[in-house]
Amino acid sequence: VQLVESGGGSVQAGGALKLACVVSGYEWNYYCISWFRQRPGKEREGVAGFYVGDTGTYYADSVKGRFTISWDNAKNTVYLQMNSLKPEDTAMYYCALAASPIRVSDEFRPSAYNVWGRGTQVTVS
């Protein structure tokens, strides 16, 4: 399985970006897919995720109401629509996939995920 992110860029505060993560390869069944980010000097943190085959989604408190995760099954692509961007949203954004069930408490634990993309940079000024 490979994950390839795109859609990052530079935007002014209050603007919007839409990230995409293409999932290729079907060696594994996948359980959930999440977006993480890593800000300079900070640990990687979860942003949003969903359970494949389910309508359930989850978000970090810092992005609730501003970010929306979605899945296009026909394109095998996960999107992260980011609105009302703030300078503190500046980070490298990563897509990650968990191939086995995870506990709700582990939804944003990076070690629970098996496959990672290389990331796409988002800069908000």
Side-chain angles (χ1 to χ4, degrees), residues 63-84:
V63 306
K64 279 181 182 177
R66 299 189 299 124
F67 290 11
T68 303
I69 190 170
S70 61
W71 166 252
D72 186 329
N73 195 49
K75 296 182 179 180
N76 287 325
T77 301
V78 182
Y79 298 100
L80 185 67
Q81 177 67 49
M82 305 186 297
N83 298 328
S84 302

Side-chain angles (χ1 to χ4, degrees), residues 3-48:
L3 308 177
V4 179
E5 303 96 333
S6 63
S10 296
V11 65
Q12 291 188 335
L17 283 173
K18 187 173 186 178
L19 306 184
C21 171
V22 177
V23 182
S24 61
Y26 298 93
E27 292 88 352
W28 297 341
N29 293 317
Y30 29 96
Y31 185 71
C32 62
I33 301 176
S34 294
W35 285 95
F36 287 77
R37 68 185 181 188
Q38 189 160 17
R39 293 179 280 186
K42 302 289 186 180
E43 292 186 352
R44 194 166 295 189
E45 60 179 353
V47 176

